[in-house]
Amino acid sequence: MKISPRGPLAAVLLALLLVGCSTQQSVTERQPTSDPDQLLQSANQQEPAAAAASRLEAADILARQGRAPQALEIARNLDPAPLSSEQRRRWALLLSELGESQGDPQAVVKAGQLLKDDTPPREQTNLLLGRLGRALAELDQPLPAAAAFMRLQAANDDTGLNDPIWRQLSNLPGPSLDRLRNSQEANTRAWLALTDLTRDTSADIERLFQRIDDWRSRYPDHPAARQLPTKIQALRDLRGSEVRHIAIFLPESGPLERVADAIEQGMRTHHLEVVNRSASGTQLSFIDSADGNLEALYAEAESMGAQAVIGPLDKDLVTRLEQRDQVPLPTLALNYGTSERNQAEGLFQYGLSAENEARQVARRGRIDGMQSAALLIPDNDWGRRVGAAFRNTWQANNGDIVRTERYNPEQSATESTRRAVRSPQPDMLFLLALPDYARQVPPTLDYYSAADLPVYATSHLYEGHPQPRLDKDLDGVSFVDIPWQIPDAAVGGEEALPYVNSYRQLREESEPSMFRLMAMGVDAYELARRLPQLQAIPGSELFGATGTLSAAEDGRIQRQLPWARFSEGTPQPMMSPGSLGDALP
């Protein structure tokens, strides 16, 4: 059964205002008293209220017998409306517990809707809120997840929730934070004040802690004032290690020259904006890397007094670096090597990887309840690499690949699209294509009576600027892209973008085809300034121009991108700001 993770969220946020005040035994502590198979058979002949009660009892017994998957299926498909108030609470606790233990966050969100209309005893409410927050976080819904955790903390004054709350707040773009600012909860307003100041000063650690001390004096009783989130506390040890001088290895000639020029333009523009805004900044020294002599490049960087390096850009050079034990200076490479793992200490890798996007699409498809997928990918090395990334992630999440159709980009999409979705029809289609080819796919699906088939795609189908007449054929297609390319869908408008002044200047000056690379240059600058933080604090995140960025265990930077869906030929948010409801803690 496919259940969208987005639909229940309005009810979820309304629920966060409701907290009870007593305790009750967990539903799964009840002892089985009957045969679940008999109960299920009886339910088929009973009136709705009695049938729902029988199915609830059967699910409860199955859970106690260790048959959790069957219990989850029954509880998830049960209509709780005919149940009594007490039975609905039992159902919500059982479904949320089974959903969490069986890796089904959608089931937990469904159970959390109970809080919209009911005020269970305090312990039950606390259990539901905790499970709900974790499920929403897993579904990549940081706003309601943060709201759930903060509501739970307000009821219990639990400093143990500081880290989960901070993790979600760190992932929120500006407009989502703004939706919490009207809260009547003093603790929520204090959390927002802490989030604002860390975003403004996180690369300047000394200034950051001066502002944190001021914040603590204003909110001395706040849970985070008594115990700072772990990631903020860890920054204290980095005082004095700020990066003040960066050497940048980019080729000034050769096949990568144009790419390097776009990255450099983004870097220089943003650096100048930072200097003008704060009267401080990091010194940049550009060094030509065209000859590929890594030893000479690092020697020159060290002689200049650089503390960190951005580059190289060439994939082969990055591969050579990642096979070393360590690099001479902390380094942010501008590509990903070909080794299975980056083993060099001090080396981070960052780029606009299509494989990274494909993995995110695969995870989202499974979260949305899709079980089977077909792939429509170009018949070239790019298609094979990106297709493999999608396939591996999809299958690792227990999804089925029913078909992989490799197409010739120079030919019409009609026949390849027909083959991709032929019987048996998959639950979704993964599309990797450039705009001209991608625009042919939805009309072909319509022609072959597959108009309702969900299509998920990477950023490559969007040219980066609104073209409603051309892109009308893409209506209904869901895709990921960087915030700077889809500001309205990603963050609710340009004003809320990270580094908005740099965005506006570069947007005016750039070719659309180069704009993503300029955004990459902006984020490379910000990541390099934070290399000590990335080294010292696993899981550190940056809300950047190219997505929410964090380092994997081996130093490869992962991008979490916002989602959009074409409607009337323009990218729209997958979940509009108004759909979350107006009642927030």
Side-chain angles (χ1 to χ4, degrees):
M1 177 180 177
K2 297 175 191 174
I3 304 172
S4 169
R6 299 183 293 277
L9 294 184
V12 168
L13 286 182
L14 287 167
L16 300 182
L17 294 175
L18 307 175
V19 177
C21 58
S22 62
T23 64
Q24 175 124 349
Q25 186 179 25
S26 169
V27 66
T28 53
E29 293 174 9
R30 297 167 53 89
Q31 296 300 315
T33 58
S34 188
D35 180 359
D37 294 327
Q38 289 182 357
L39 286 167
L40 292 172
Q41 289 176 6
S42 298
N44 294 328
Q45 278 75 46
Q46 292 172 329
E47 294 297 319
S54 293
R55 292 186 177 106
L56 173 60
E57 191 66 27
D60 193 351
I61 294 169
L62 288 166
R64 295 301 305 158
Q65 291 177 346
R67 298 160 67 184
Q70 187 178 352
L72 174 60
E73 187 67 16
I74 294 167
R76 185 173 51 196
N77 293 328
L78 189 155
D79 178 9
L83 296 173
S84 68
S85 176
E86 176 60 29
Q87 288 170 329
R88 280 196 299 272
R89 293 172 185 176
R90 286 181 55 203
W91 166 79
L93 288 168
L94 176 62
L95 180 59
S96 64
E97 185 173 348
L98 289 168
E100 186 166 73
S101 67
Q102 297 300 301
D104 187 350
Q106 297 159 326
V108 181
V109 172
K110 182 177 181 179
Q113 293 180 82
L114 173 83
L115 298 174
K116 178 179 69 170
D117 302 313
D118 191 10
T119 307
R122 179 174 178 175
E123 184 176 320
Q124 293 182 359
T125 300
N126 289 349
L127 279 171
L128 284 172
L129 280 173
R131 292 168 184 167
L132 184 59
R134 293 188 291 272
L136 289 164
E138 188 175 347
L139 289 168
D140 190 26
Q141 299 292 348
L143 173 60
F149 287 136
M150 287 191 289
R151 193 66 191 92
L152 181 59
Q153 186 176 69
N156 298 279
D157 194 34
D158 182 4
T159 59
L161 290 166
N162 286 350
D163 285 348
I165 290 171
W166 188 247
R167 192 174 302 117
Q168 300 311 310
L169 291 176
S170 299
N171 285 333
L172 285 173
S176 294
L177 287 173
D178 289 342
R179 290 181 59 75
L180 292 169
R181 296 189 194 282
N182 293 328
S183 170
Q184 299 303 308
E185 291 280 350
N187 278 1
T188 298
R189 295 197 300 272
W191 273 117
L192 294 178
L194 182 62
T195 304
D196 289 341
L197 70 88
T198 57
R199 289 190 175 188
D200 288 344
T201 56
S202 57
D204 188 336
I205 297 171
E206 191 64 42
R207 183 172 172 230
L208 171 63
F209 276 95
Q210 290 173 358
R211 296 186 67 183
I212 286 176
D213 289 342
D214 292 340
W215 176 87
R216 294 175 95 168
S217 67
R218 295 201 310 273
Y219 306 101
D221 297 325
H222 190 272
R226 304 197 306 271
Q227 179 179 310
L228 284 172
T230 301
K231 288 185 179 179
I232 296 179
Q233 185 62 41
L235 289 172
R236 195 181 294 276
D237 297 333
L238 299 179
R239 284 177 165 175
S241 64
E242 291 86 350
V243 175
R244 303 295 185 191
H245 187 179
I246 302 172
I248 300 159
F249 301 163
L250 286 174
E252 296 179 5
S253 59
L256 294 174
E257 179 183 3
R258 192 159 181 257
V259 172
D261 286 346
I263 293 172
E264 180 176 342
Q265 184 178 351
M267 211 176 295
R268 286 186 183 276
T269 297
H270 184 58
H271 172 250
L272 185 60
E273 197 279 325
V274 170
V275 170
N276 290 339
R277 175 167 46 86
S278 62
S280 65
T282 302
Q283 180 182 347
L284 305 182
S285 297
F286 289 84
I287 304 174
D288 184 6
S289 63
D291 67 1
N293 187 331
L294 290 168
E295 286 70 24
L297 288 169
Y298 276 106
E300 185 172 354
E302 288 178 315
S303 71
M304 292 177 168
Q307 299 164 277
V309 166
I310 296 176
L313 176 61
D314 183 271
K315 199 174 194 71
D316 290 339
L317 294 182
V318 178
T319 301
R320 284 163 51 187
L321 281 179
E322 72 180 359
Q323 293 170 349
R324 297 183 176 192
D325 291 332
Q326 61 182 35
V327 287
L329 290 170
T331 300
L332 178 73
L334 295 174
N335 211 328
Y336 297 94
T338 59
S339 303
E340 184 175 341
R341 182 176 177 81
N342 169 35
Q343 68 178 29
E345 183 181 351
L347 176 65
F348 294 84
Q349 301 177 22
Y350 163 61
L352 304 183
S353 164
E355 291 92 328
N356 180 277
E357 295 185 20
R359 295 183 193 103
Q360 184 173 339
V361 172
R363 289 190 292 268
R364 179 60 182 261
R366 289 295 290 128
I367 285 173
D368 284 353
M370 310 299 171
Q371 178 60 40
S372 62
L375 283 67
L376 186 56
I377 58 177
D379 189 11
N380 52 33
D381 180 63
W382 181 55
R384 283 185 285 276
R385 286 188 290 104
V386 178
F390 177 91
R391 184 182 303 106
N392 293 340
T393 303
W394 185 263
Q395 292 176 335
N397 286 277
N398 300 312
D400 301 321
I401 302 292
V402 297
R403 198 167 298 108
T404 299
E405 183 63 32
R406 296 181 173 87
Y407 65 83
N408 182 344
E410 302 301 320
Q411 296 180 355
S412 165
T414 303
E415 186 60 23
S416 59
T417 303
R418 183 192 68 80
R419 290 195 300 266
V421 298
R422 69 180 182 268
S423 181
Q425 185 171 299
D427 293 335
M428 65 162 280
L429 176 67
F430 169 61
L431 175 63
L432 176 68
L434 298 178
D436 287 345
Y437 194 92
R439 292 184 187 114
Q440 302 174 55
V441 173
T444 304
L445 293 175
D446 291 350
Y447 181 80
Y448 287 109
S449 302
D452 294 334
L453 179 69
V455 179
Y456 292 68
T458 61
S459 64
H460 305 87
L461 85 171
Y462 183 50
E463 292 185 8
H465 56 284
Q467 302 177 95
R469 293 181 63 185
L470 274 176
D471 289 337
K472 184 75 169 62
D473 285 336
L474 291 170
D475 278 2
V477 176
S478 304
F479 70 104
V480 290
D481 208 338
I482 68 172
W484 271 24
Q485 288 283 52
I486 51 170
D488 291 332
V491 295
E494 290 184 7
E495 289 292 341
L497 285 172
Y499 323 126
V500 63
N501 292 335
S502 298
Y503 163 84
R504 286 174 173 154
Q505 185 173 344
L506 289 166
R507 179 60 92 180
E508 291 175 2
E509 298 173 354
S510 72
E511 299 177 36
S513 62
M514 294 287 106
F515 188 64
R516 285 187 178 90
L517 292 168
M518 293 177 184
M520 178 181 165
V522 170
D523 278 353
Y525 174 85
E526 291 292 341
L527 285 168
R529 296 173 71 197
R530 291 165 171 79
L531 282 179
Q533 179 178 335
L534 294 175
Q535 288 179 295
I537 308 171
S540 294
E541 292 179 328
L542 169 68
F543 180 59
T546 62
T548 300
L549 311 178
S550 61
E553 185 181 353
D554 69 347
R556 288 174 172 161
I557 301 296
Q558 307 295 314
R559 295 182 299 137
Q560 188 69 20
L561 300 176
W563 281 89
R565 179 178 288 132
F566 280 100
S567 177
E568 299 298 324
T570 60
Q572 300 295 329
M574 290 274 284
M575 179 179 59
S576 66
S579 70
L580 291 175
D582 296 319
L584 295 167

